[in-house]
Amino acid sequence: MGRRWAGFLLAASAVAATTLGAPAEARASVLCPGNAICLWHGQYHTGTRYVWTGGYHDLPGGFTDHVGSFRANRSGAFIDWASGKVCHPVRKGDYGDFYLRGFGGKMDAVGDNC
């Protein structure tokens, strides 16, 4: 039993070291594929994920006015239609870990540009 536990700890340590030692760009691609913008229902990239890869798209019902976090691996635009078109450009590398209190509580769509 002791050898199994030691083996498990060794394997877990190797996975943690590999993940934590990876460059930030590599960790980001695990969260969100390249050339995409990912939105999460929860803060800090938790909960249901929506992956946008281009074109104009209204957000799925559960995400309308409820984007808890995001990560951008390409440029795009977040759009709110509540009182006319309000648009926030997003660039590759942008992210929001706690976005619901910001524009994530208002956005209705994602597009290529404003």
Side-chain angles (χ1 to χ4, degrees):
M1 185 79 160
R3 282 187 178 192
R4 267 194 224 168
W5 184 248
F8 170 75
L9 288 177
L10 183 60
S13 297
V15 169
T18 302
T19 304
L20 295 175
E25 197 169 301
R27 287 192 307 268
S29 69
V30 171
L31 291 173
C32 185
N35 203 33
I37 294 177
C38 296
L39 312 173
W40 283 268
H41 215 243
Q43 63 184 359
Y44 301 105
H45 313 97
T46 60
T48 306
R49 181 179 72 164
Y50 173 72
V51 178
W52 175 83
T53 56
Y56 174 89
H57 292 278
D58 290 325
L59 293 180
F63 283 89
T64 301
D65 299 332
H66 196 98
V67 175
S69 54
F70 79 92
R71 180 165 302 275
N73 289 331
R74 64 170 290 162
S75 62
F78 295 161
I79 303 164
D80 173 33
W81 291 107
S83 58
K85 185 178 181 181
V86 177
C87 187
H88 284 217
V90 181
R91 295 180 308 245
K92 182 177 181 176
D94 288 350
Y95 67 94
D97 291 332
F98 191 72
Y99 201 55
L100 190 58
R101 289 187 183 167
F103 200 69
K106 300 175 184 178
M107 64 188 283
D108 304 311
V110 182
D112 291 313
N113 50 50
C114 289

XYZ file of all heavy atoms in Angstrom:
857
model
N 0.824 -1.184 0.000
C 0.000 0.000 0.000
C 0.870 1.249 0.000
O 0.565 2.214 -0.674
C -0.936 -0.043 1.220
C -1.909 1.060 1.249
S -3.254 0.678 0.128
C -4.470 1.749 0.758
N 1.985 1.230 0.751
C 2.871 2.381 0.819
C 3.513 2.693 -0.517
O 3.683 3.848 -0.881
N 3.862 1.674 -1.291
C 4.474 1.900 -2.605
C 3.471 2.509 -3.579
O 3.829 3.358 -4.384
C 5.003 0.587 -3.173
C 6.298 0.178 -2.564
C 6.854 -1.011 -3.275
N 8.124 -1.346 -2.678
C 8.971 -2.179 -3.183
N 8.687 -2.782 -4.310
N 10.112 -2.424 -2.584
N 2.234 2.048 -3.514
C 1.209 2.627 -4.378
C 1.019 4.111 -4.081
O 0.904 4.928 -4.978
C -0.124 1.921 -4.166
C -0.336 0.810 -5.105
C -1.777 0.412 -5.066
N -1.800 -1.032 -5.023
C -2.842 -1.740 -4.755
N -3.972 -1.156 -4.441
N -2.799 -3.045 -4.773
N 0.961 4.446 -2.816
C 0.777 5.844 -2.401
C 1.966 6.686 -2.858
O 1.789 7.780 -3.379
C 0.599 5.916 -0.891
C 0.312 7.298 -0.387
C 1.121 8.070 0.371
C -0.843 8.082 -0.640
N 0.546 9.281 0.629
C -0.678 9.317 -0.001
C -2.013 7.880 -1.352
C -1.629 10.323 -0.044
C -2.954 8.892 -1.378
C -2.759 10.084 -0.740
N 3.178 6.160 -2.689
C 4.372 6.881 -3.116
C 4.370 7.068 -4.630
O 4.712 8.133 -5.145
C 5.630 6.142 -2.668
N 3.945 6.045 -5.354
C 3.858 6.154 -6.814
C 2.845 7.192 -7.247
O 3.082 7.966 -8.172
N 1.713 7.205 -6.560
C 0.688 8.197 -6.867
C 1.212 9.612 -6.623
O 1.029 10.507 -7.441
C -0.563 7.959 -6.017
C -1.561 9.066 -6.112
C -2.352 9.209 -7.243
C -1.692 10.001 -5.093
C -3.266 10.235 -7.341
C -2.595 11.033 -5.187
C -3.386 11.147 -6.317
N 1.859 9.826 -5.497
C 2.396 11.150 -5.179
C 3.447 11.579 -6.184
O 3.492 12.744 -6.585
C 2.975 11.167 -3.761
C 1.955 11.130 -2.628
C 2.665 11.068 -1.276
C 1.046 12.334 -2.690
N 4.288 10.649 -6.609
C 5.320 10.963 -7.599
C 4.679 11.365 -8.925
O 5.064 12.365 -9.533
C 6.253 9.764 -7.791
C 7.422 9.967 -8.745
C 8.320 11.104 -8.250
C 8.226 8.688 -8.854
N 3.676 10.615 -9.365
C 2.991 10.940 -10.615
C 2.264 12.281 -10.512
O 2.316 13.102 -11.423
C 1.999 9.834 -10.980
N 1.589 12.513 -9.400
C 0.879 13.782 -9.217
C 1.849 14.956 -9.198
O 1.575 16.017 -9.755
C 0.062 13.750 -7.927
N 2.993 14.781 -8.584
C 4.006 15.841 -8.549
C 4.523 16.146 -9.946
O 4.743 17.295 -10.306
C 5.174 15.446 -7.646
O 4.734 15.296 -6.330
N 4.722 15.106 -10.751
C 5.215 15.304 -12.114
C 4.198 16.070 -12.953
O 4.549 16.985 -13.692
C 5.527 13.957 -12.764
N 2.917 15.735 -12.822
C 1.875 16.448 -13.560
C 1.818 17.902 -13.121
O 1.757 18.812 -13.937
C 0.504 15.760 -13.372
C -0.617 16.639 -13.900
C 0.493 14.414 -14.064
N 1.850 18.146 -11.825
C 1.810 19.515 -11.312
C 3.017 20.310 -11.777
O 2.893 21.461 -12.191
C 1.739 19.512 -9.790
N 4.187 19.719 -11.731
C 5.397 20.430 -12.156
C 5.350 20.745 -13.640
O 5.735 21.827 -14.075
C 6.630 19.588 -11.830
N 4.839 19.811 -14.433
C 4.738 20.046 -15.866
C 3.751 21.162 -16.161
O 4.019 22.052 -16.954
C 4.280 18.752 -16.581
O 5.220 17.731 -16.289
C 4.182 18.956 -18.073
N 2.605 21.139 -15.519
C 1.579 22.153 -15.754
C 2.010 23.511 -15.227
O 1.899 24.515 -15.909
C 0.258 21.743 -15.082
O -0.104 20.458 -15.579
C -0.833 22.740 -15.374
N 2.516 23.551 -14.008
C 2.906 24.827 -13.409
C 4.155 25.395 -14.057
O 4.335 26.594 -14.102
C 3.117 24.658 -11.905
C 1.855 24.300 -11.116
C 2.212 24.044 -9.659
C 0.812 25.379 -11.241
N 5.020 24.533 -14.571
C 6.245 25.001 -15.195
C 6.067 25.396 -16.646
O 6.958 25.954 -17.261
N 4.905 25.102 -17.216
C 4.659 25.432 -18.618
C 4.521 26.936 -18.780
O 4.059 27.625 -17.879
C 3.376 24.735 -19.090
N 4.926 27.442 -19.939
C 4.748 28.876 -20.185
C 3.278 29.267 -20.106
O 2.395 28.446 -20.356
C 5.271 29.061 -21.613
C 6.027 27.828 -21.944
C 5.522 26.742 -21.038
N 3.025 30.515 -19.779
C 1.649 31.002 -19.629
C 0.843 30.765 -20.898
O -0.337 30.416 -20.834
C 1.659 32.486 -19.278
N 1.456 30.912 -22.050
C 0.756 30.713 -23.316
C 0.274 29.271 -23.466
O -0.824 29.008 -23.940
C 1.673 31.087 -24.474
C 0.942 31.310 -25.768
C 1.843 31.932 -26.807
O 2.378 33.025 -26.566
O 2.005 31.303 -27.851
N 1.088 28.312 -23.027
C 0.703 26.904 -23.101
C -0.444 26.614 -22.142
O -1.376 25.884 -22.479
C 1.891 26.009 -22.785
N -0.411 27.182 -20.942
C -1.507 26.988 -19.991
C -2.793 27.592 -20.535
O -3.867 27.037 -20.383
C -1.158 27.589 -18.633
C -0.130 26.785 -17.865
C -0.029 27.236 -16.424
N 0.196 28.650 -16.250
C 1.391 29.230 -16.143
N 2.476 28.504 -16.200
N 1.492 30.528 -15.980
N -2.692 28.744 -21.192
C -3.873 29.401 -21.750
C -4.514 28.539 -22.832
O -5.735 28.469 -22.943
C -3.513 30.764 -22.314
N -3.705 27.847 -23.645
C -4.259 27.023 -24.706
C -4.995 25.813 -24.148
O -5.859 25.253 -24.807
C -3.169 26.596 -25.690
O -2.281 25.691 -25.075
N -4.664 25.389 -22.940
C -5.403 24.308 -22.301
C -6.794 24.806 -21.923
O -7.785 24.105 -22.074
C -4.658 23.785 -21.053
C -5.517 22.816 -20.272
C -3.354 23.140 -21.453
N -6.876 26.036 -21.450
C -8.161 26.619 -21.084
C -9.014 26.941 -22.311
O -10.209 26.778 -22.295
C -7.952 27.914 -20.299
C -7.377 27.803 -18.906
C -7.087 29.188 -18.337
C -8.345 27.064 -17.999
N -8.358 27.414 -23.364
C -9.067 27.885 -24.550
C -8.222 27.601 -25.788
O -7.047 27.962 -25.817
C -9.325 29.382 -24.412
S -10.318 30.084 -25.744
N -8.795 26.963 -26.803
C -8.019 26.656 -28.009
C -7.485 27.912 -28.689
O -8.041 29.001 -28.535
C -9.035 25.964 -28.916
C -10.236 25.690 -28.112
C -10.178 26.552 -26.893
N -6.422 27.749 -29.456
C -5.874 28.859 -30.230
C -6.908 29.373 -31.221
O -7.802 28.638 -31.651
N -6.820 30.622 -31.567
C -7.712 31.291 -32.512
C -9.183 31.222 -32.072
O -10.075 31.065 -32.895
C -7.544 30.732 -33.924
C -8.002 31.736 -34.960
O -7.867 32.939 -34.781
N -8.549 31.247 -36.048
N -9.408 31.318 -30.763
C -10.777 31.309 -30.225
C -10.867 32.287 -29.065
O -9.858 32.697 -28.490
C -11.151 29.907 -29.742
N -12.080 32.678 -28.746
C -12.373 33.391 -27.506
C -13.306 32.484 -26.716
O -14.315 32.008 -27.243
C -13.032 34.765 -27.755
C -12.051 35.701 -28.458
C -13.518 35.375 -26.437
C -12.632 37.067 -28.812
N -12.935 32.214 -25.471
C -13.733 31.334 -24.626
C -14.381 32.145 -23.510
O -13.740 33.009 -22.908
C -12.858 30.241 -24.020
S -12.160 29.151 -25.286
N -15.633 31.849 -23.281
C -16.402 32.480 -22.214
C -16.821 31.390 -21.242
O -17.175 30.286 -21.664
C -17.650 33.148 -22.786
C -17.476 34.053 -24.011
C -18.842 34.487 -24.531
C -16.617 35.245 -23.672
N -16.787 31.712 -19.954
C -17.236 30.772 -18.930
C -18.364 31.394 -18.129
O -18.376 32.604 -17.898
C -16.101 30.417 -17.977
C -15.123 29.455 -18.551
C -15.141 28.101 -18.446
C -13.960 29.779 -19.311
N -14.061 27.558 -19.100
C -13.311 28.574 -19.638
C -13.391 30.978 -19.759
C -12.145 28.520 -20.375
C -12.233 30.930 -20.496
C -11.618 29.708 -20.801
N -19.252 30.561 -17.688
C -20.366 31.000 -16.863
C -19.881 31.452 -15.490
O -20.410 32.403 -14.921
C -21.368 29.843 -16.728
C -22.767 30.295 -16.671
N -23.555 30.094 -15.589
C -23.537 30.949 -17.583
C -24.745 30.594 -15.815
N -24.766 31.120 -17.017
N -18.868 30.780 -14.961
C -18.352 31.098 -13.634
C -17.084 31.932 -13.687
O -16.443 32.066 -14.727
N -16.726 32.482 -12.551
C -15.484 33.255 -12.464
C -14.278 32.327 -12.522
O -14.396 31.137 -12.266
C -15.469 34.096 -11.196
C -15.495 33.291 -9.922
C -15.583 34.203 -8.710
O -15.602 35.411 -8.822
N -15.633 33.610 -7.542
N -13.140 32.874 -12.866
C -11.874 32.135 -12.931
C -11.965 30.888 -13.795
O -11.460 29.832 -13.441
C -11.365 31.804 -11.516
C -11.151 33.032 -10.695
C -12.056 33.379 -9.693
C -10.076 33.881 -10.942
C -11.876 34.533 -8.954
C -9.900 35.037 -10.211
C -10.792 35.361 -9.216
O -10.619 36.512 -8.498
N -12.661 31.000 -14.941
C -12.712 29.942 -15.955
C -13.334 28.659 -15.423
O -12.818 27.566 -15.633
C -11.311 29.693 -16.531
C -10.625 30.970 -16.895
N -9.727 31.578 -16.065
C -10.755 31.777 -17.960
C -9.310 32.702 -16.623
N -9.925 32.839 -17.771
N -14.453 28.787 -14.729
C -15.155 27.625 -14.192
C -16.570 27.575 -14.754
O -17.082 28.553 -15.287
C -15.231 27.681 -12.650
O -15.942 28.865 -12.260
C -13.845 27.678 -12.026
N -17.187 26.437 -14.628
C -18.554 26.261 -15.100
C -18.600 25.969 -16.590
O -17.605 25.605 -17.210
N -19.753 26.153 -17.163
C -19.971 25.879 -18.580
C -19.114 26.819 -19.425
O -18.981 27.999 -19.112
C -21.461 26.079 -18.930
O -22.243 25.288 -18.044
C -21.747 25.679 -20.359
N -18.540 26.284 -20.511
C -17.684 27.072 -21.403
C -18.353 27.209 -22.769
O -18.945 26.267 -23.276
C -16.325 26.380 -21.560
C -15.376 27.145 -22.463
C -14.050 26.446 -22.576
N -14.190 25.243 -23.382
C -13.170 24.578 -23.907
N -11.941 24.965 -23.702
N -13.391 23.497 -24.626
N -18.235 28.390 -23.354
C -18.681 28.657 -24.724
C -17.444 29.065 -25.521
O -16.705 29.958 -25.115
C -19.725 29.780 -24.747
C -20.098 30.229 -26.133
C -20.877 29.430 -26.956
C -19.659 31.449 -26.620
C -21.222 29.843 -28.231
C -20.007 31.877 -27.896
C -20.780 31.064 -28.701
O -21.112 31.481 -29.961
N -17.206 28.406 -26.648
C -16.039 28.687 -27.485
C -16.508 29.368 -28.761
O -17.309 28.810 -29.521
C -15.259 27.389 -27.821
C -14.076 27.696 -28.721
C -14.800 26.689 -26.543
N -16.005 30.570 -29.001
C -16.321 31.346 -30.206
C -15.096 31.357 -31.108
O -13.989 31.633 -30.651
C -16.716 32.766 -29.805
C -16.935 33.679 -30.965
C -18.070 33.806 -31.711
C -15.993 34.595 -31.527
N -17.886 34.748 -32.696
C -16.614 35.241 -32.598
C -14.671 34.915 -31.229
C -15.973 36.202 -33.375
C -14.023 35.875 -31.993
C -14.682 36.508 -33.050
N -15.296 31.069 -32.411
C -14.159 31.020 -33.337
C -14.302 31.958 -34.528
O -13.484 31.915 -35.444
C -13.942 29.584 -33.853
O -15.148 29.119 -34.455
C -13.518 28.660 -32.723
N -15.300 32.811 -34.535
C -15.408 33.793 -35.603
C -16.842 33.996 -36.062
O -17.732 33.194 -35.786
N -17.060 35.125 -36.746
C -18.382 35.488 -37.210
C -19.197 36.099 -36.083
O -18.765 36.136 -34.938
N -20.367 36.593 -36.428
C -21.251 37.158 -35.415
C -22.113 36.041 -34.830
O -22.704 35.251 -35.574
C -22.167 38.241 -36.011
C -23.175 38.734 -35.008
C -22.864 39.784 -34.169
C -24.411 38.109 -34.867
C -23.778 40.224 -33.210
C -25.330 38.534 -33.921
C -24.996 39.584 -33.095
O -25.892 40.010 -32.145
N -22.205 35.987 -33.499
C -23.062 35.001 -32.841
C -23.699 35.612 -31.595
O -22.997 36.166 -30.748
C -22.266 33.764 -32.408
C -21.770 32.958 -33.557
N -22.540 32.049 -34.229
C -20.565 32.936 -34.168
C -21.838 31.496 -35.194
N -20.636 32.027 -35.186
N -25.014 35.503 -31.507
C -25.680 35.813 -30.243
C -25.233 34.766 -29.241
O -25.039 33.594 -29.595
C -27.201 35.751 -30.394
C -27.751 36.894 -31.234
O -27.202 38.005 -31.166
O -28.737 36.649 -31.965
N -25.077 35.166 -27.990
C -24.663 34.213 -26.964
C -25.785 33.226 -26.670
O -26.962 33.574 -26.758
C -24.290 34.953 -25.676
C -23.055 35.842 -25.751
C -22.818 36.517 -24.405
C -21.836 35.041 -26.160
N -25.425 31.990 -26.321
C -26.451 31.041 -25.896
C -27.205 31.597 -24.688
O -26.643 32.381 -23.912
C -25.654 29.798 -25.501
C -24.317 29.953 -26.132
C -24.083 31.428 -26.268
N -28.445 31.190 -24.503
C -29.309 31.717 -23.450
C -28.677 31.838 -22.077
O -28.813 32.844 -21.412
N -27.957 30.836 -21.626
C -27.362 30.880 -20.298
C -26.233 31.889 -20.159
O -25.855 32.253 -19.044
N -25.697 32.358 -21.282
C -24.587 33.305 -21.237
C -25.020 34.754 -21.438
O -24.267 35.668 -21.127
C -23.542 32.951 -22.309
C -22.686 31.777 -21.931
C -23.073 30.494 -22.253
C -21.506 31.962 -21.242
C -22.299 29.407 -21.904
C -20.714 30.885 -20.881
C -21.115 29.603 -21.217
N -26.218 34.971 -21.964
C -26.686 36.335 -22.179
C -26.725 37.078 -20.850
O -27.368 36.635 -19.902
C -28.091 36.325 -22.817
O -28.016 35.620 -24.058
C -28.585 37.732 -23.064
N -25.986 38.178 -20.776
C -25.870 38.990 -19.559
C -25.277 38.213 -18.384
O -25.478 38.582 -17.228
C -27.226 39.569 -19.130
C -27.827 40.486 -20.179
O -27.059 41.089 -20.948
O -29.063 40.602 -20.234
N -24.569 37.121 -18.674
C -24.001 36.320 -17.585
C -22.709 35.611 -18.022
O -22.668 34.386 -18.144
C -25.006 35.291 -17.086
C -24.628 34.735 -15.758
N -25.172 35.198 -14.590
C -23.724 33.802 -15.411
C -24.623 34.553 -13.579
N -23.745 33.688 -14.056
N -21.669 36.397 -18.284
C -20.343 35.851 -18.601
C -19.456 36.112 -17.396
O -19.130 37.251 -17.085
C -19.754 36.497 -19.876
C -18.337 36.018 -20.119
C -20.642 36.188 -21.071
N -19.098 35.050 -16.696
C -18.320 35.188 -15.471
C -16.839 35.413 -15.697
O -16.166 36.048 -14.890
N -16.290 34.876 -16.807
C -14.870 35.054 -17.122
C -14.653 34.774 -18.600
O -15.500 34.172 -19.259
C -13.994 34.141 -16.256
O -14.404 32.800 -16.347
N -13.522 35.225 -19.120
C -13.206 34.984 -20.532
C -11.699 34.950 -20.734
O -10.924 35.424 -19.919
C -13.837 36.043 -21.442
C -13.088 37.348 -21.496
C -12.125 37.582 -22.465
C -13.342 38.346 -20.576
C -11.427 38.786 -22.513
C -12.654 39.550 -20.605
C -11.691 39.770 -21.583
N -11.302 34.376 -21.863
C -9.906 34.367 -22.309
C -9.930 34.499 -23.825
O -10.664 33.780 -24.496
C -9.199 33.083 -21.911
C -7.753 33.039 -22.368
C -6.961 31.963 -21.683
N -6.954 32.078 -20.239
C -6.117 32.843 -19.536
N -5.243 33.604 -20.158
N -6.167 32.851 -18.229
N -9.138 35.434 -24.360
C -9.106 35.684 -25.806
C -7.787 35.209 -26.406
O -6.729 35.704 -26.039
C -9.302 37.175 -26.086
N -7.874 34.273 -27.329
C -6.714 33.823 -28.092
C -6.799 34.319 -29.532
O -6.164 33.782 -30.424
C -6.605 32.290 -28.054
C -6.181 31.800 -26.691
O -5.498 32.487 -25.964
N -6.610 30.612 -26.336
N -7.606 35.337 -29.742
C -7.747 36.036 -31.028
C -8.471 37.348 -30.751
O -8.995 37.554 -29.662
C -8.523 35.197 -32.034
C -9.960 34.949 -31.587
C -10.831 34.325 -32.643
N -11.086 35.281 -33.703
C -11.515 34.950 -34.898
N -11.741 33.702 -35.198
N -11.740 35.861 -35.817
N -8.520 38.214 -31.719
C -9.258 39.465 -31.540
C -10.739 39.235 -31.843
O -11.109 38.280 -32.531
C -8.688 40.565 -32.437
O -8.820 40.197 -33.788
N -11.567 40.113 -31.314
C -13.005 40.041 -31.530
C -13.676 41.203 -30.842
O -13.019 42.205 -30.509
N -14.958 41.086 -30.608
C -15.710 42.163 -29.968
C -16.851 41.586 -29.159
O -17.531 40.659 -29.601
C -16.261 43.119 -31.021
N -17.049 42.131 -27.968
C -18.187 41.779 -27.120
C -19.246 42.862 -27.323
O -18.945 44.055 -27.279
C -17.774 41.725 -25.655
C -16.787 40.640 -25.325
C -16.044 40.718 -24.164
C -16.591 39.540 -26.150
C -15.141 39.726 -23.823
C -15.690 38.537 -25.828
C -14.966 38.637 -24.654
N -20.485 42.439 -27.524
C -21.548 43.368 -27.908
C -22.730 43.265 -26.949
O -23.141 42.174 -26.564
C -22.014 43.069 -29.346
C -20.816 43.159 -30.305
C -23.130 44.019 -29.771
C -21.046 42.521 -31.658
N -23.268 44.447 -26.590
C -24.482 44.543 -25.774
C -25.522 45.288 -26.588
O -25.250 46.372 -27.109
C -24.178 45.295 -24.478
C -25.423 45.572 -23.656
O -26.353 44.742 -23.687
O -25.469 46.610 -22.976
N -26.716 44.722 -26.709
C -27.787 45.330 -27.488
C -28.875 45.964 -26.628
O -29.869 46.448 -27.153
C -28.440 44.283 -28.392
C -27.559 43.805 -29.494
C -26.950 42.593 -29.582
C -27.191 44.512 -30.668
N -26.219 42.499 -30.738
C -26.346 43.678 -31.426
C -27.472 45.789 -31.158
C -25.799 44.062 -32.637
C -26.923 46.169 -32.367
C -26.099 45.310 -33.094
N -28.738 45.990 -25.313
C -29.811 46.438 -24.421
C -30.317 47.846 -24.736
O -31.516 48.093 -24.730
C -29.368 46.350 -22.966
N -29.435 48.782 -24.984
C -29.864 50.159 -25.256
C -29.151 50.694 -26.491
O -28.537 51.743 -26.478
C -29.588 51.054 -24.044
O -28.211 51.024 -23.728
N -29.224 49.945 -27.562
C -28.458 50.266 -28.753
C -27.180 49.459 -28.704
O -26.908 48.755 -27.739
N -26.387 49.545 -29.711
C -25.170 48.732 -29.778
C -24.045 49.360 -28.964
O -23.583 50.454 -29.248
C -24.729 48.579 -31.229
C -23.548 47.659 -31.403
C -23.191 47.508 -32.877
C -22.030 46.583 -33.071
N -21.672 46.465 -34.492
N -23.607 48.640 -27.934
C -22.420 49.012 -27.166
C -21.419 47.895 -27.402
O -21.731 46.722 -27.220
C -22.724 49.149 -25.658
C -21.461 49.464 -24.887
C -23.786 50.203 -25.425
N -20.221 48.269 -27.815
C -19.249 47.271 -28.245
C -17.916 47.457 -27.531
O -17.429 48.582 -27.412
C -19.068 47.392 -29.755
S -18.045 46.113 -30.454
N -17.346 46.355 -27.056
C -16.026 46.368 -26.428
C -15.078 45.513 -27.260
O -15.260 44.291 -27.327
C -16.100 45.797 -25.012
C -16.681 46.728 -24.021
N -16.226 46.806 -22.741
C -17.677 47.643 -24.114
C -16.917 47.722 -22.084
N -17.805 48.224 -22.901
N -14.078 46.129 -27.904
C -13.095 45.339 -28.647
C -12.262 44.473 -27.697
O -12.004 44.861 -26.557
C -12.205 46.380 -29.317
C -12.848 47.695 -29.092
C -13.824 47.549 -27.983
N -11.888 43.294 -28.159
C -11.065 42.367 -27.394
C -9.882 41.976 -28.267
O -10.047 41.703 -29.449
C -11.882 41.103 -27.017
C -11.044 40.139 -26.212
C -13.136 41.478 -26.262
N -8.681 41.979 -27.671
C -7.463 41.611 -28.401
C -6.926 40.281 -27.893
O -7.173 39.891 -26.749
C -6.394 42.681 -28.228
C -6.761 44.017 -28.853
C -5.646 45.004 -28.623
N -5.305 45.044 -27.197
C -5.465 46.090 -26.410
N -5.928 47.205 -26.900
N -5.145 46.037 -25.146
N -6.159 39.625 -28.733
C -5.502 38.381 -28.339
C -4.682 38.647 -27.075
O -3.943 39.624 -26.997
C -4.593 37.888 -29.461
C -3.908 36.583 -29.146
C -3.077 36.101 -30.309
C -2.428 34.776 -29.940
N -1.681 34.220 -31.078
N -4.844 37.796 -26.087
C -4.141 37.947 -24.816
C -4.989 38.568 -23.722
O -4.649 38.485 -22.548
N -6.113 39.187 -24.087
C -7.004 39.756 -23.075
C -7.687 38.629 -22.303
O -7.943 37.546 -22.855
C -8.091 40.630 -23.711
C -7.564 41.952 -24.240
O -6.402 42.294 -23.955
O -8.329 42.635 -24.952
N -7.987 38.885 -21.048
C -8.736 37.921 -20.245
C -9.401 38.646 -19.092
O -9.019 39.748 -18.723
C -7.835 36.794 -19.721
C -6.813 37.260 -18.708
C -7.092 37.195 -17.346
C -5.588 37.778 -19.110
C -6.159 37.629 -16.415
C -4.661 38.218 -18.186
C -4.949 38.144 -16.846
O -4.042 38.591 -15.922
N -10.415 38.032 -18.555
C -11.095 38.549 -17.376
C -11.437 37.372 -16.482
O -12.152 36.466 -16.905
N -10.894 37.360 -15.288
C -11.148 36.258 -14.361
C -12.454 36.425 -13.593
O -13.075 35.452 -13.193
C -10.000 36.124 -13.359
C -8.725 35.633 -14.008
O -8.810 34.912 -15.019
O -7.639 35.969 -13.506
N -12.847 37.672 -13.377
C -14.098 37.963 -12.673
C -14.789 39.062 -13.461
O -14.677 40.242 -13.163
C -13.813 38.399 -11.230
C -15.045 38.451 -10.387
C -15.663 37.284 -9.984
C -15.598 39.652 -10.008
C -16.821 37.322 -9.213
C -16.745 39.706 -9.239
C -17.360 38.531 -8.837
N -15.512 38.674 -14.508
C -16.008 39.610 -15.506
C -17.496 39.922 -15.363
O -18.002 40.836 -16.000
C -15.719 39.022 -16.892
C -15.710 40.017 -18.014
C -14.902 41.146 -17.981
C -16.504 39.831 -19.126
C -14.889 42.056 -19.017
C -16.499 40.730 -20.177
C -15.691 41.839 -20.111
O -15.674 42.741 -21.145
N -18.197 39.200 -14.516
C -19.640 39.371 -14.401
C -20.031 40.763 -13.918
O -21.021 41.328 -14.354
C -20.235 38.303 -13.474
C -21.749 38.207 -13.440
C -22.315 37.930 -14.830
C -22.174 37.112 -12.491
N -19.242 41.341 -13.034
C -19.540 42.695 -12.541
C -19.191 43.765 -13.563
O -19.595 44.904 -13.431
C -18.785 42.965 -11.251
C -19.335 42.171 -10.104
C -18.700 42.574 -8.813
N -19.192 41.731 -7.728
C -18.663 41.673 -6.551
N -17.602 42.413 -6.267
N -19.163 40.902 -5.630
N -18.441 43.389 -14.583
C -18.091 44.319 -15.657
C -19.026 44.112 -16.838
O -20.233 43.887 -16.683
N -18.456 44.130 -18.026
C -19.250 44.001 -19.246
C -19.862 42.607 -19.383
O -20.832 42.417 -20.110
C -18.391 44.356 -20.463
C -19.189 44.718 -21.674
C -19.915 45.903 -21.704
C -19.231 43.896 -22.770
C -20.671 46.249 -22.814
C -19.982 44.227 -23.893
C -20.702 45.410 -23.914
N -19.316 41.623 -18.683
C -19.865 40.272 -18.734
C -21.294 40.186 -18.225
O -22.035 39.269 -18.573
N -21.703 41.149 -17.420
C -23.077 41.197 -16.930
C -24.017 41.883 -17.896
O -25.210 42.023 -17.612
N -23.495 42.323 -19.045
C -24.305 43.051 -20.026
C -24.281 42.432 -21.415
O -25.199 42.630 -22.195
C -23.789 44.486 -20.159
C -23.831 45.268 -18.885
C -23.201 46.624 -19.089
C -23.155 47.383 -17.774
N -22.520 48.683 -17.910
N -23.220 41.708 -21.753
C -23.018 41.302 -23.146
C -24.022 40.272 -23.633
O -24.489 39.427 -22.872
C -21.585 40.841 -23.383
C -21.153 39.608 -22.637
S -19.385 39.280 -22.812
C -19.315 38.600 -24.429
N -24.358 40.418 -24.928
C -25.361 39.578 -25.565
C -24.820 38.806 -26.768
O -25.462 37.867 -27.234
C -26.530 40.443 -26.080
C -27.153 41.277 -24.991
O -27.455 40.726 -23.917
O -27.324 42.485 -25.208
N -23.671 39.241 -27.299
C -23.165 38.655 -28.538
C -21.642 38.793 -28.615
O -21.038 39.579 -27.880
C -23.802 39.327 -29.745
N -21.062 38.020 -29.544
C -19.633 38.099 -29.842
C -19.520 38.219 -31.351
O -20.239 37.551 -32.099
C -18.870 36.847 -29.359
C -17.389 36.977 -29.634
C -19.114 36.577 -27.903
N -18.616 39.072 -31.815
C -18.396 39.238 -33.245
C -16.946 39.491 -33.570
O -16.114 39.617 -32.677
N -16.663 39.565 -34.858
C -15.293 39.797 -35.298
C -14.801 41.215 -34.996
O -13.620 41.427 -34.771
C -15.155 39.519 -36.789
C -15.291 38.051 -37.119
O -14.652 37.225 -36.433
O -16.053 37.715 -38.052
N -15.715 42.180 -35.055
C -15.332 43.575 -34.790
C -16.563 44.386 -34.394
O -17.680 43.914 -34.488
C -14.635 44.194 -36.006
C -15.416 43.985 -37.267
O -16.618 44.250 -37.321
N -14.759 43.480 -38.308
N -16.297 45.615 -33.971
C -17.389 46.506 -33.569
C -17.991 47.104 -34.783
O -18.833 47.289 -35.289
C -16.870 47.629 -32.690
S -16.387 47.049 -31.038
